[in-house]
């Protein structure tokens, strides 16, 4: 595990560190920054939980499919329903997976709300697969945090030093 230049996200003494603060992730808080305070256990819990929810959701969809079959709605309606759930699941997986690497557009996300609700199994499956590798969204948050930290250090280094000690030619 590589060391990161920043100290702990929240110091034990209660002081607020200067500079940018890491954005917390759902279920992980700021443990993703240094992989501390139960990060590994949270990743295991996120993986197991999302897989269990995916399996339970598939069972619910199976019961709904059986209900359509029992209701004798016909082959066309049954196949159309299965096709809609399959397409929405694939689209929801793709959208959720993409959201782990870049900030989603709020307008697009709002427009896709119904599709994502129908394809919820895809979102759960994407969460499961991503949590096997890292905390979902960790890579994006780490890149943003490190960029903010670099900007802060650059600003702080420009302002550091006593202006009285500058050479006479540099004073304005």
């Amino acid at each position: 595990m590589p060391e990161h230049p920043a100290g702990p996200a929240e110091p034990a003494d209660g002081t607020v560190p200067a500079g940018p603060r890491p954005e917390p992730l759902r279920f992980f808080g700021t443990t993703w920054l240094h992989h501390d305070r139960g990060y590994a256990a949270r990743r295991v819990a996120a993986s197991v939980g999302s897989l269990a929810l995916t399996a339970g959701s598939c069972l619910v969809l199976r019961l709904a499919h059986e209900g359509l079959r029992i209701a004798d709605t016909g082959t066309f309606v049954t196949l159309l329903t299965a096709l809609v759930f399959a397409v929405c699941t694939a689209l929801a997986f793709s959208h959720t997976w993409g959201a782990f690497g870049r900030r989603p557009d709020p307008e697009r996300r709002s427009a896709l709300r119904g599709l994502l609700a129908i394809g919820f199994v895809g979102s759960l499956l994407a969460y499961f697969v991503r949590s096997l590798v890292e905390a979902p969204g960790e890579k994006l948050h780490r890149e943003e945090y490190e960029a903010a930290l670099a900007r802060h250090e650059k600003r702080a280094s420009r302002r550091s030093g006593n202006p009285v000690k500058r050479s006479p030619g540099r004073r304005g």
Side-chain angles (χ1 to χ4, degrees), residues 134-147:
E134 66 178 7
E138 177 181 345
K139 181 180 177 186
L140 173 66
H141 282 71
R142 185 171 305 283
E143 289 171 354
E144 290 176 349
Y145 176 70
E146 288 175 354

Side-chain angles (χ1 to χ4, degrees), residues 7 21 42 54 57 60 69 86 94 118 142 156 158-159:
R21 295 183 61 154
R42 292 173 191 230
T54 301
S57 299
V60 168
R69 193 183 61 75
S94 174
I118 294 170
R142 185 171 305 283
R158 274 195 319 238
R159 293 185 303 222

Side-chain angles (χ1 to χ4, degrees), residues 58-140:
C58 288
L59 178 64
V60 168
L61 289 177
R62 172 74 179 152
L63 292 174
H65 179 74
E66 285 297 313
L68 286 174
R69 193 183 61 75
I70 291 171
D72 198 25
T73 56
T75 306
F76 177 72
V77 172
T78 304
L79 288 176
L80 186 63
T81 305
L83 180 66
V84 165
F85 273 106
V87 168
C88 288
T89 297
L91 291 173
F93 180 93
S94 174
H95 177 77
T96 303
W97 189 265
F100 293 140
R102 67 188 176 327
R103 295 278 179 179
D105 178 26
E107 290 180 19
R108 183 172 184 263
R109 187 177 188 118
S110 177
L112 294 176
R113 184 172 290 139
L115 180 132
L116 294 174
I118 294 170
F120 64 99
V121 174
S123 292
L124 290 170
L125 194 57
Y127 200 86
F128 165 71
V129 172
R130 192 58 170 213
S131 64
L132 293 175
V133 177
E134 66 178 7
E138 177 181 345
K139 181 180 177 186
L140 173 66

